[in-house]
Every structure is written in C-alpha cells, then in structure tokens.
Amino acid sequence: MKAIAVEPGAGTPSLIDLPVPEPAPGEALVRTLRVGVDGTDDEVIAGGHGGVPDGDDRLVLGHEAVGVVEDPNGTDLEEGQYVVPTVRRPPPDVETNVYFERGEPDMAPEGAYVERGIVGAHGFMAEYFTSPADCLVPISADLAPVGFLVEPISITEKAIEHAAAARSAFDWQPESVLVLGNGSLGLLTAAMFRTTMGYDRVYCLGRRDRPHPSIAILDELDVTYIDSRETSVPEIPEVYEPMDVVYEATGYAKHAFESIEALAPNGVAALLGVPGDWSFEVDGGRLHREMVLHNKAVVGSVNSNRDHFASAIDTLAGLPSWVIEDVVSGVYGLEEYERAFSDPTDDATADDDTTIKTAVEFSNI
Amino acid sequence: MKAIAVEPGAGTPSLIDLPVPEPAPGEALVRTLRVGVDGTDDEVIAGGHGGVPDGDDRLVLGHEAVGVVEDPNGTDLEEGQYVVPTVRRPPPDVETNVYFERGEPDMAPEGAYVERGIVGAHGFMAEYFTSPADCLVPISADLAPVGFLVEPISITEKAIEHAAAARSAFDWQPESVLVLGNGSLGLLTAAMFRTTMGYDRVYCLGRRDRPHPSIAILDELDVTYIDSRETSVPEIPEVYEPMDVVYEATGYAKHAFESIEALAPNGVAALLGVPGDWSFEVDGGRLHREMVLHNKAVVGSVNSNRDHFASAIDTLAGLPSWVIEDVVSGVYGLEEYERAFSDPTDDATADDDTTIKTAVEFSNI
C-alpha cells in the first residue's frame, strides 16, 4: 500500500510502499479516507518536533484521520463503520499505564505515551492502518468527508473544558472571547465560539491583509478581525474590550504573556502553541500583580482524549456547513499529495497564499 | 474610643480618639477583641497600597479581626456572639452590586468594592466597629482568642479552591506541595497542607538561617525547609521533586514565572503576592511550551468571601494547637501597640527578628 512518510533531515515527505498492516487482537483494520495536514506536520517534517518509532528510520505522517472499518477483527466495531482515530498510544514497552486506564492519555507526561504520526509511532497517512478498537471513535457517514477536522476540533474542546474548569469555583459569565491566530485552528475555534457556543462578541487576531479567505470567513461569522500589526495584544482592551477568554493558537511566546493583559478581571487564557526557546523581557511585576488582583488564570493544554473527540463530532455536526467548506481549501489525491503540504520555501503569511486547511485523500468515500 | 490609624505619608500608625460608631439598620455593633497585623498593613502604612476613605484624611487600620457582638441592633446575631468580619464592602456610592449579591465580593473588579482597613473604608483597629450582620461570621468562644487568623487562612482557602478547580477537568491526584514564603501566611498554609489537608510531601521555601522559630515550626510539622539561597525555585524539581501544587506568598515577581518550572506535569501554581512593577528577562518560549506540553495552570487569587471564612474557621479548629501558639509570636495591648507593627527601619529578614505573627488586643476576651 502507499504511505506518506518523512525521513529525519529530508525536509519533505515522500510516497513509500508498505505492506498492508495486520490487526493484532483487539485492533481493527481501517481503510483510510482522508488525513488532514496541520502545523504539527510541518514541524515534524522540518525536524523541530516529533520522532521516528524505535528501530525505524522514517515516520509515516498523519494524526488527523478519518477512515472506514475494513475488518473489525472480532472487535465491537462493524465493517463499513466510519471512524476517527485518537492520537496517543501507550509507549511500546508497556501495555497501558494509569493515564490510559483513566481514559486521559492527554494528561500523560512525556515518556508515558507515543503520538501516532508525530512521535514514536507511525501515523495514519497510509491506505490502511490498524488501531485498538477503543481508540476509534465512530462518526456518521454524512460527516465522514470532513472527519479529519475532528482531531483539531477536539484539541479546542479540551482547551475550553480546562479553561472553563479553571473558572468553576465562582459564578463566571464570560461574554467576550479573543482567538489569537487565524490559521485553520483559530478559524475553527472562532467559529465554535460564535456558533455552537453562542458567544456574541468574538475577536480573532491575525497578521494578514484583506482580502484574504480567512478574514472573509471571520467577516461572515461576524467575528471582529484584529490585525496585530495595527493593534497589539496588550492594546486590545483599550481599543476593543477586555476579554473574558483568550485562546492562543499562534505559538508566538510573547502572546502567552500579553494574554494576561488582554484579559478582563476573572478571565482565563488557554495556551496551545508550542514555541521554541526565546528569551525576552517582561514586566513580570505588573503581570504577577495583575494575575492576583484580578483573579486571572492561564492554562496550558495539549492533545485531547476520546471524550473530546466525541464532543468534537457533535461540534462538527453543529458548525455551519459553509464554514467547513470555506476552511477546507483543498483535498488532494495521492497523485498530487505534495500540494497538501506547505512549501517550506514559502512564507506562510504571504498574502497570495490562500491555503487554509488541506487534506490528503487515500480512498474514495 | 481608641483606634489605630495612619495618615498618608506619616509612615507609622498612631493612636487616635474616635466616637463609638452607631450601627445603621442591618448592622451590629461589635466590641473588638484582637486584630492581626500582616504585610498588607505594612504596605498600607508605607503608602504603597490602599487609600483613605473619600473625604477623610486618615485610615483606621486592620482587616484581620475578631470581636464580640455588643449590640445586635435587631439583626439575627445575639449579644455575646463571637464574630469575624469579612473585609470587602460595596463602594460608598452603591448599595450593592452583582458580586456582593452573588456572595462573591472577592471576584469584584477594582472600583466595585472597598476593603476595610486597606482601601476606601476604615478597618477594625478600634475598640468598637459596626458591620452589616451578613459580613460577620460566627466563631466559637474557644477559637475567639485566635480568631484574627481566620482572615489570612480564608485567603488560602480561596486560593486552594481556585487552584483545585483549575484541575477539576481530569483525575488529578496531587501529592507534593511547595509553599513559597515562610512568613505567617506561608507557615499557616504549609501547616494546612500538612495537617488538615493531609499531604505527606510539603516543602516551604524561605531565606532565613537556622535556628529560626519559623523553621522550627516547619521541622516540627515535617515540612521540608528549602533555603532559596541554596536552591533556587527552578532547581527544586531536580534537587527535591517536581511539585503538583505551588503556592506563592512572597510577592517576589520572579517566583510567579519560576513556579512554572517547579511544577510537575498537570500541576497548578496559585499566586497571591502583589508585587510592584519590575521588568526582567524570562525564557518565555520555554515557559510557554512547558505550560502547554505539560498541561500546567497558573491562577491568581485575591481576597476571600464568607464561605472561605467559614472554611477557615473549620481549618483553624483542625490545626494543631501548638502550630497556632508558635505562629502567634506576640499579642500586644493598646499601651504597647507599636510592638505589633514591624519597625520600617528594620530589615524584616534579619535573623535576629523572631517575629512571626502579631496582633493588637483591644479588649479582654
């Protein structure tokens, strides 16, 4: 079967041939339909993040997949069931651990998991993959064509769950939300806040010129686009309003600290980006004081578990179909899979780049 | 009646004469027993924090009080009932607001409250004070002599409640706790974690040489004392262990950021200090990444509400009596009230300073 893999140092993915995998007991064989591409894939390809499985010299990419059960192999799944796989698995040397037993692999520390398509385990960018049946979340046939959006949406489901929990000790009534970043995750999240969660006042910060398809989506959603080149994050409360929620999806480390200044009293910032080391000066006294005197909270969030995938499927069903259609800017067959990946020589913020979210199609639905 | 007040700029409190206050409808008249002194009083006296009531030129100090109802004035309280007053009240121009209506004045933003003895309203350092009956929390006669500890303990009750809430979205089983600061609040908090909350592994960071009475209390509690001059906060996970909870009570702004490095995966830091502006360099990329990849949370917490006062009374009843006796290093009558306040010309960290927690006694119990 065909698969898309990357060798450390190669800098670009390539199409390889692999045998169709055999499901172990408790695993099903899944025929892959579509697999999304995101910034994590870019980082894995560039070598800044992730790693090949032990004893292998390349990594099959892909962690945002949707497929159809080809062989249930004695599990509770049925042949023909559409499914979305979760990403984390126990490390190769153990059967399970307390985080997986609790259904919370997303809370496992480093070393207590591998991530399919990212670190230590092959991903889903192959014509077939196997997975333990309990890591396959059923999805309806009508959502299957965009089922590759379930994993990124689940990341937001978890972050919002944790942010809301951080405000659960008092009567919190959030009204204003700022999403930092207008990439595909930022757009999906802004759309969630505006539609399925029903917030009236949603803002999204980016650094692109109009016209751009991502800003057109925000306009259509009635989400206020903030150009970071015109208004910096700390200026946002003055120019717009203080924010009850800040959701950071830029990976720009200064945003983690500036978020505290953008928050309204009793607000919460959810951080999702994974920046590299970067030292800079902050007014730490002011930020510390502001956190305390105004009861502010900051929560980091990574990955997601099966419950978040299930919530994400509900969210996907509730999002306006035009948002999904406009966010998915391209689905490419195996014969042109390169088009799904960003060209590393491109400036991803170039205004002529109208790519938002891409996927590779491995077989027809 | 006698009262202890400070004029802005004076730098030291003074004893003044005031008329005994008349309770308004809904208020009771309370005879003051004892009022504790803490770092906030020092800041108010030094002029770095707080402010006099509108139209007045001095502020009666004191926000950690215990008293006895002298005149219930038609409220549900009974004459002779021991009570502890909460600190926040609605601003003078309004009857109430949504935060007070919810019973959560601790979540009110600046401008939506005054604080008795701190900002905008006279405190409890007077032979009598009046208070709305619903801001007076009953306390038993046996706890009344140390009832001035209820307010500081309530501050920790709230911070811990908010920190735990921030971890309530998953199965969190914290085992290790680091308290930053071995002043009276740090000691009381370390004692709470070790005794009433039952943590086995509690650490407390300070910067004093042995022997010192505060370290003797930690030793007796089986809390590990960490000298910050020997082990910095970021080194603590390596030298001791990563911490599931960090509780910051130093007001030292770098600790707010270093706490992130001291935390174990999925841990939470509660910040309580109120530092002034101070710019310094941080490895913001590393801190941001660490927050995200290890699901860490940081929550700021200020003040406390009536429920936290009620919890604090339960905690006070549960703390070993020797801890209370050793933490309270001095209770001084009005004739020697100056001894209850730190000498602003002293270095508070001098090793010959054996003061931990002081109070002024206004009348015999």
Side-chain angles (χ1 to χ4, degrees):
Chain A
M1 66 174 186
K2 299 290 181 198
I4 298 170
V6 66
E7 273 184 60
T12 54
S14 55
L15 205 59
I16 64 170
D17 275 300
L18 286 176
V20 173
E22 295 268 348
E27 290 189 333
L29 178 69
V30 179
R31 178 165 55 87
T32 310
L33 297 171
R34 291 173 170 185
V35 184
V37 175
D38 76 354
T40 300
D41 296 304
D42 294 338
E43 289 164 31
V44 170
I45 293 166
H49 188 63
V52 301
D54 283 349
D56 217 324
D57 55 5
R58 59 193 176 186
L59 175 76
V60 176
L61 289 168
H63 59 280
E64 303 178 348
V66 58
V68 59
V69 175
E70 177 89 5
D71 176 6
N73 191 36
T75 67
D76 288 345
L77 291 165
E78 289 189 15
E79 189 184 331
Q81 170 68 58
Y82 295 100
V83 290
V84 173
T86 63
V87 176
R88 287 195 174 174
R89 301 289 180 274
D93 52 333
V94 300
E95 189 100 350
T96 185
N97 60 41
V98 67
Y99 301 99
F100 286 87
E101 284 165 1
R102 288 177 190 157
E104 295 174 348
D106 55 310
M107 304 307 289
E110 254 179 277
Y113 63 82
V114 294
E115 288 181 335
R116 294 197 63 168
I118 302 173
V119 59
H122 289 305
F124 307 118
M125 284 197 178
E127 290 178 285
Y128 294 90
F129 64 86
T130 59
S131 172
D134 60 3
C135 298
L136 295 170
V137 186
I139 186 171
S140 63
D142 59 318
L143 291 176
V146 289
F148 59 89
L149 296 177
V150 169
E151 195 276 343
I153 291 173
S154 76
I155 298 296
T156 294
E157 299 283 356
K158 172 181 169 179
I160 292 174
E161 184 192 31
H162 280 237
R167 309 287 73 188
S168 62
F170 63 99
D171 186 356
W172 188 51
Q173 301 187 356
E175 296 184 346
S176 53
V177 177
L178 170 63
V179 175
L180 301 177
N182 68 338
S184 59
L185 187 58
L187 289 175
L188 286 168
T189 301
M192 288 166 67
F193 276 116
R194 188 70 188 85
T195 64
T196 55
M197 289 189 278
Y199 281 75
D200 287 330
R201 283 144 41 211
V202 181
Y203 303 79
C204 185
L205 178 123
R207 52 185 184 111
R208 292 178 186 274
D209 291 327
R210 293 175 182 277
H212 189 275
S214 66
I215 304 173
I217 293 171
L218 296 174
D219 288 345
E220 181 71 20
L221 282 166
D222 202 15
V223 167
T224 304
Y225 174 63
I226 301 176
D227 187 327
S228 63
R229 296 162 301 185
E230 287 169 14
T231 310
S232 71
V233 173
E235 292 169 333
I236 287 174
E238 184 72 23
V239 177
Y240 297 93
E241 63 174 314
M243 301 293 166
D244 295 318
V245 181
V246 175
Y247 174 101
E248 173 273 322
T250 58
Y252 181 72
K254 286 191 178 177
H255 283 164
F257 301 88
E258 294 173 349
S259 290
I260 297 167
E261 301 180 76
L263 285 176
N266 310 338
V268 59
L271 307 182
L272 289 91
V274 183
D277 289 354
W278 181 25
S279 291
F280 48 81
E281 193 171 279
V282 295
D283 186 339
R286 191 158 52 84
L287 294 176
H288 182 177
R289 186 174 71 245
E290 185 57 31
M291 291 275 304
V292 172
L293 291 184
H294 284 135
N295 292 294
K296 295 181 177 182
V298 180
V299 295
S301 180
V302 69
N303 193 254
S304 55
N305 65 40
R306 192 185 163 108
D307 289 345
H308 304 124
F309 273 68
S311 301
I313 289 170
D314 290 343
T315 293
L316 188 61
L319 284 173
S321 54
W322 69 263
V323 170
I324 304 297
E325 283 160 23
D326 288 3
V327 164
V328 178
S329 54
V331 177
Y332 304 97
L334 271 180
E335 70 289 354
E336 49 172 2
Y337 75 92
E338 290 101 330
R339 294 185 63 192
F341 294 88
S342 17
D343 182 339
T345 62
D346 269 2
D347 176 359
T349 65
D351 288 322
D352 59 352
D353 179 5
T354 56
T355 301
I356 299 179
K357 181 74 182 179
T358 61
V360 179
E361 184 164 86
F362 286 81
S363 65
N364 289 330
I365 290 168
Chain B
M1 66 173 186
K2 300 291 182 198
I4 298 171
V6 67
E7 274 184 59
T12 55
S14 54
L15 205 59
I16 64 169
D17 276 301
L18 287 177
V20 173
E22 296 267 348
E27 289 189 335
L29 178 68
V30 179
R31 176 164 57 85
T32 310
L33 296 172
R34 292 174 169 184
V35 184
V37 175
D38 76 353
T40 300
D41 296 304
D42 294 338
E43 288 165 30
V44 170
I45 293 165
H49 189 60
V52 301
D54 281 349
D56 216 324
D57 55 6
R58 58 192 175 185
L59 176 75
V60 176
L61 289 168
H63 60 280
E64 302 177 350
V66 58
V68 60
V69 174
E70 177 89 5
D71 176 6
N73 191 36
T75 66
D76 288 342
L77 291 165
E78 287 188 19
E79 188 184 333
Q81 170 69 58
Y82 295 100
V83 289
V84 172
T86 63
V87 175
R88 286 195 174 175
R89 301 287 180 275
D93 52 333
V94 301
E95 189 99 353
T96 186
N97 60 40
V98 66
Y99 301 99
F100 286 87
E101 284 165 2
R102 287 177 191 157
E104 295 175 348
D106 56 310
M107 303 308 289
E110 254 178 277
Y113 62 82
V114 294
E115 288 181 333
R116 294 197 62 168
I118 302 172
V119 60
H122 290 306
F124 307 118
M125 284 196 178
E127 289 178 286
Y128 295 90
F129 64 85
T130 59
S131 171
D134 61 2
C135 298
L136 295 171
V137 186
I139 185 171
S140 63
D142 60 318
L143 291 176
V146 288
F148 59 88
L149 296 177
V150 169
E151 196 275 344
I153 291 172
S154 77
I155 298 297
T156 294
E157 298 284 355
K158 172 179 169 179
I160 292 174
E161 184 191 29
H162 280 236
R167 310 286 72 186
S168 63
F170 63 98
D171 186 356
W172 188 50
Q173 301 185 356
E175 297 184 345
S176 53
V177 177
L178 170 65
V179 175
L180 301 177
N182 66 339
S184 59
L185 187 59
L187 289 175
L188 285 169
T189 302
M192 288 166 68
F193 276 117
R194 188 71 187 84
T195 64
T196 56
M197 287 189 281
Y199 282 75
D200 287 329
R201 283 148 36 214
V202 181
Y203 302 80
C204 185
L205 178 123
R207 52 186 184 112
R208 292 179 187 274
D209 289 327
R210 294 175 183 273
H212 189 275
S214 65
I215 304 173
I217 293 171
L218 296 174
D219 288 346
E220 182 68 22
L221 282 165
D222 203 15
V223 168
T224 304
Y225 174 63
I226 301 176
D227 187 328
S228 64
R229 297 164 299 185
E230 286 169 14
T231 309
S232 71
V233 173
E235 291 168 336
I236 287 174
E238 184 71 22
V239 176
Y240 297 93
E241 63 174 314
M243 300 294 165
D244 296 318
V245 181
V246 175
Y247 174 101
E248 174 273 321
T250 58
Y252 181 72
K254 286 192 179 176
H255 283 163
F257 301 87
E258 293 174 349
S259 289
I260 297 166
E261 301 180 77
L263 286 176
N266 309 338
V268 59
L271 306 182
L272 288 91
V274 183
D277 289 353
W278 182 25
S279 290
F280 47 81
E281 194 170 280
V282 295
D283 187 338
R286 193 158 50 85
L287 294 176
H288 182 176
R289 186 174 71 245
E290 186 57 32
M291 292 274 305
V292 172
L293 290 185
H294 285 135
N295 292 293
K296 294 181 178 181
V298 181
V299 296
S301 180
V302 70
N303 193 254
S304 55
N305 65 40
R306 193 184 162 107
D307 289 344
H308 304 124
F309 273 68
S311 300
I313 290 170
D314 291 342
T315 293
L316 189 60
L319 284 173
S321 54
W322 70 263
V323 170
I324 305 298
E325 284 159 23
D326 288 3
V327 164
V328 179
S329 54
V331 178
Y332 303 98
L334 270 180
E335 71 289 355
E336 51 172 3
Y337 76 92
E338 290 101 330
R339 294 185 63 192
F341 293 89
S342 18
D343 181 341
T345 63
D346 270 1
D347 176 357
T349 66
D351 288 322
D352 58 353
D353 180 4
T354 57
T355 301
I356 299 178
K357 180 74 181 179
T358 60
V360 178
E361 184 164 85
F362 287 81
S363 65
N364 289 330
I365 289 168

